[in-house]
Amino acid sequence: MTATALAHDVGLTLAPCHRRLREMESNGVIRGYRVEVDPAKVGLGFEALVFVTLKDRSNLKGFEQEVAGIGQVIDAQRLFGEPDFLLRVMAEDLPAYQRFYDDVLVGLPGVEKLTSTIVMKHVKTGGRLPL
C-alpha cells in the first residue's frame, strides 16, 4: 500500500503519516519491507517442512548458527518439546531436495532424527498480525 493510501485509510494527511511511519521504523515496530517472489517462477517449486530432533542440547547453538547460513532453509523455528526445530526448505524438485537432505541436513551438528513432509498446497500465506 502506498503512503498516500495509508494516510487516507487512517485519516491523516501525507506528512504526518510519513512522520509516524519513520517513527515506527526507528522504534523497530516496523522491521522492514519485502517483495514476494513466486518460488515456482524462479525454479524453486518444491517445498518441504523438516522436523529436526537433536541428540542433546550440546549442539544447539552450532545447529542454529549453521542453519541460519543455509539459503535453502527459508524459515527455522525452535520448538518446545520434540521435535526441537521446524525448518522450511525450498528446492527445485524432489531429486534436488533429496540431494540437499543427504548432503546438508543429515550433516548438521547434533542431528539425531529428521522427518520431512512435502507441502502440497498453500492455503494461506503472508499472514499479518491481528492488529
Side-chain angles (χ1 to χ4, degrees):
M1 155 181 297
T2 66
T4 303
L6 177 62
H8 179 267
D9 283 359
V10 297
L12 292 173
T13 60
L14 191 55
C17 183
H18 272 293
R19 191 170 37 257
R20 289 184 185 183
L21 282 172
R22 281 192 305 276
E23 183 179 316
M24 287 190 287
E25 290 166 350
S26 67
N27 290 336
V29 174
I30 296 175
R31 295 191 294 191
Y33 301 92
R34 64 188 175 114
V35 172
E36 272 194 57
V37 175
D38 183 340
K41 294 199 177 182
V42 294
L44 296 171
F46 184 89
E47 183 176 345
L49 301 177
V50 183
F51 298 94
V52 181
T53 301
L54 299 180
K55 294 174 188 166
D56 56 48
R57 299 289 185 244
S58 66
N59 289 301
L60 189 65
K61 289 188 186 208
F63 177 87
E64 289 180 354
Q65 288 173 344
E66 200 158 328
V67 164
I70 301 171
Q72 282 184 264
V73 176
I74 62 169
D75 285 313
Q77 288 89 27
R78 183 173 172 197
L79 308 174
F80 278 105
E82 288 199 21
D84 297 306
F85 290 89
L86 171 61
L87 309 179
R88 187 169 159 220
V89 176
M90 301 300 295
E92 294 173 14
D93 52 23
L94 180 57
Y97 174 70
Q98 181 182 349
R99 287 189 302 277
F100 178 75
Y101 183 99
D102 293 342
D103 297 344
V104 178
L105 293 178
V106 297
L108 290 170
V111 169
E112 178 179 322
K113 179 181 175 185
L114 298 168
T115 305
S116 299
T117 186
I118 298 169
V119 175
M120 183 186 318
K121 173 183 173 184
H122 285 270
V123 177
K124 178 180 177 181
T125 60
R128 290 166 177 71
L129 293 176
L131 300 175

